[in-house]
Amino acid sequence: MKPGDYVEILPGVHDDSMPEERRGLVIEMVKQHEWNTPNKLGLPDQLNVMFHNGKILKFHKSQVKMISKPD
């Protein structure tokens, strides 16, 4: 996944700020804190997702399903 991808948050994941439709746009990929990567080169495993209500929330990539990629 990368910025610009349209995604859906998987069932079972909850945040009061997330709209009911659970779909949003990936705006940024971020790494987990680098304490877990000895060489400090960890790959991004979290996504900041913007929803139609203007909220931006962070999710782990395992909580997200890709709907479409930009052309």
Side-chain angles (χ1 to χ4, degrees):
M1 282 182 245
K2 64 183 188 307
D5 290 347
Y6 191 54
V7 297
E8 181 175 6
I9 309 306
L10 295 175
V13 178
H14 177 78
D15 188 295
D16 288 335
S17 299
M18 183 172 43
E20 269 189 50
E21 78 168 18
R22 307 176 70 81
R23 295 180 175 191
L25 187 69
V26 176
I27 60 169
E28 182 181 27
M29 297 291 299
V30 292
K31 290 193 285 187
Q32 187 178 26
H33 297 291
E34 295 179 326
W35 62 268
N36 200 18
T37 55
N39 59 6
K40 306 282 189 217
L41 297 175
L43 297 174
D45 63 350
Q46 298 177 9
L47 308 88
N48 283 328
V49 178
M50 181 175 61
F51 295 93
H52 69 84
N53 63 359
K55 300 292 182 179
I56 298 172
L57 302 172
K58 184 167 40 171
F59 299 93
H60 188 269
K61 64 183 181 181
S62 67
Q63 299 173 310
V64 175
K65 175 178 93 174
M66 173 104 57
I67 295 174
S68 68
K69 295 182 178 189
D71 293 333

